[in-house]
Structures are given as C-alpha cells and as structure tokens.
Amino acid sequence: RTGVAHLICISGMHISVLALAISRLLDRFLSRKYSVGITLAAILLYGFLVGYPPALIRATIMFSVFSMSSFAGRPSDTITRLGVALLIMLAVHPFHLYDGGFVLSFEASAGIVLLGPALEHLLGVDRLMHQKPHRNRVRNLIQRTVRYFPALLCATLSAQLATLPTVIAYFGAQPLCSVLVNLLAVPLTMFAYPVAL
C-alpha cells in the first residue's frame, strides 16, 4: 500500500550494493581479475540460494558486462549494459515480458538512467555535483553527503515515474503516498545497507 515493497524484495539495487561491497573489499587484497571473479561467483551463489529472480539476473549480467568491458579496455555505459541484459534475458526466456518483476526492474533502471540526469538538471542538483571538494576532510564528507541525497532523491523519483504505468496496469492504482514514502525510505535504506554490511 505504501509502494516500498521493492526495498525488501531482492532487487538489482541489493545486488549492486552487495557486488560493490565485495568487489571493493577484495580489491584491497587481490588483483582486479580475481576480485571480479570472486564477486561474480558470490552473486551467482546468492542467486542460487534465492532462486534467481529477474532483477538479480539483470543486475548480474550488467555487472558482468561492466567488468568484462574494463578488462577489454572498452567503454561501457549503463544503457548499453541494460540493453545487453534485456537481449540476453529475452533470448533465453521470451516470456519474461509477462513477468511483473522483470518489467518493473528494467523500467526502474531505464528511468534512473534516462530520466535521472534530466531531473537533476531541472532541479539544479547537477550544479551541486560540480562543486570543488573542500580540503578539510570533515567538510568534504559533509559536502559529499549534501550532494548524495539530492541525487538519490532524483533517482528515486525517476524510477517512480518510469514504473508508474506498469504499477497502475498490474496493481490498478498508484498510492499517492508512495512517492513521498519512497523519497524518505530509499535514502534511509541506502544508508542502512553499508551499515548492515
């Protein structure tokens, strides 16, 4: 009813946070090749344990393409990774198109990538991102936090807008409170992930 079920179900956001945490930790001790390999194995094991929901498969494919492109020395943008994941998943299982989790996962990701920058520009968040960092570590941390939350709010709003038609089609309505609740809940959840890890 509040529209925050995506925060407790297994989603691409969870996998991204998990992959980033494992990869950053292993990068301190291992070469990049081994770090990526172990991270990918951990994500695949996690997928096996939870039954490979579409959002997990999408995030795993996107992480794999990102990692392989860095090894190949070729650029990789998010929309290309999203397109590759879409093509691979539909080639393997075309009926994913009728799975609500599949559709919502891709819509939310595409919304963040395509609508997010436009919203940041419209709301002036992009100007915050280009400020010079302070030399003082505490002020620099405060500045990064102040920049992080408006960008996260824009990403949340972008995902909400992109998934709105599908949410209404699948569930018959979009509760008005869900936008406001998500604007509060998503930043708190993103703060809680690293603390939990």
Side-chain angles (χ1 to χ4, degrees):
R1 288 181 181 167
T2 59
V4 292
H6 64 95
L7 295 176
I8 58 170
C9 67
I10 296 164
S11 69
M13 182 172 63
H14 297 100
I15 302 308
S16 300
V17 170
L18 181 63
L20 183 65
I22 293 170
S23 182
R24 288 250 171 108
L25 177 67
L26 293 176
D27 281 346
R28 295 174 181 253
F29 309 105
L30 302 170
S31 71
R32 184 78 180 132
K33 183 169 75 170
Y34 291 114
S35 171
V36 167
I38 293 171
T39 302
L40 191 55
I43 292 170
L44 291 172
L45 175 64
Y46 182 69
F48 175 76
L49 293 173
V50 299
Y52 289 111
L56 185 142
I57 297 169
R58 177 194 54 76
T60 303
I61 293 171
M62 290 179 70
F63 176 76
S64 301
V65 171
F66 172 74
S67 300
M68 285 187 272
S69 66
S70 66
F71 289 133
R74 302 195 52 114
S76 170
D77 61 288
T78 309
I79 202 68
T80 301
R81 293 190 297 269
L82 190 63
V84 168
L86 178 70
L87 290 174
I88 290 172
M89 290 179 73
L90 288 178
V92 172
H93 196 292
F95 290 106
H96 270 313
L97 281 175
Y98 299 105
D99 183 317
F102 174 87
V103 174
L104 288 169
S105 176
F106 275 95
E107 280 181 344
S109 299
I112 291 168
V113 173
L114 299 173
L115 296 176
L119 271 176
E120 287 179 3
H121 181 70
L122 182 69
L123 300 176
V125 175
D126 58 345
R127 288 190 294 273
L128 284 173
M129 299 301 212
H130 297 297
Q131 291 178 348
K132 285 187 173 183
H134 282 281
R135 291 181 184 177
N136 182 313
R137 291 183 73 179
V138 174
R139 286 186 179 180
N140 188 22
L141 180 63
I142 292 169
Q143 183 184 33
R144 285 172 50 196
T145 304
V146 167
R147 285 185 293 190
Y148 172 75
F149 281 104
L152 188 58
L153 292 175
C154 287
T156 301
L157 192 55
S158 300
Q160 293 266 304
L161 289 171
T163 58
L164 182 63
T166 302
V167 167
I168 291 172
Y170 274 92
F171 304 109
Q174 170 70 31
L176 291 176
C177 71
S178 73
V179 173
L180 295 174
V181 171
N182 271 288
L183 289 176
L184 178 65
V186 171
L188 290 174
T189 304
M190 291 304 288
F191 176 74
Y193 286 156
V195 172
L197 286 172

